[in-house]
């Protein structure tokens, strides 16, 4: 998957089992609700982004 933006980048996630488990649970529940597979992507603002 190619995502192009200068304002955001894919956020690094800590290697904690709990974080991954929560994301997987959310993806599974959303897939149940929509009837389609879901992939969640965590974004964080880049260094150059202004804080409002």
């Amino acid at each position: 998957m190619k995502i192009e933006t200068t304002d955001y980048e894919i956020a690094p996630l800590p290697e904690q089992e709990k974080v991954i488990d929560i994301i997987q649970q959310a993806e599974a529940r959303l897939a149940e609700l929509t009837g389609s597979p879901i992939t969640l992507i965590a974004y964080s603002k880049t260094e150059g982004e202004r804080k409002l």
Side-chain angles (χ1 to χ4, degrees):
M1 174 185 321
K2 185 175 182 181
I3 299 170
E4 294 185 34
T5 178
T6 57
D7 296 333
Y8 292 89
E9 63 187 4
I10 295 177
L13 297 175
E15 293 293 327
Q16 297 179 8
E17 190 172 317
K18 186 174 182 177
V19 173
I20 294 169
D21 186 47
I22 290 168
I23 291 170
Q24 289 174 334
Q25 288 177 28
E27 288 175 335
R29 182 67 178 126
L30 288 167
E32 288 175 17
L33 293 171
T34 64
S36 299
I38 298 291
T39 300
L40 297 177
I41 301 172
Y43 287 99
S44 61
K45 289 186 178 183
T46 57
E47 297 266 338
E49 180 68 10
R50 290 183 298 148
K51 292 184 180 180
L52 301 175

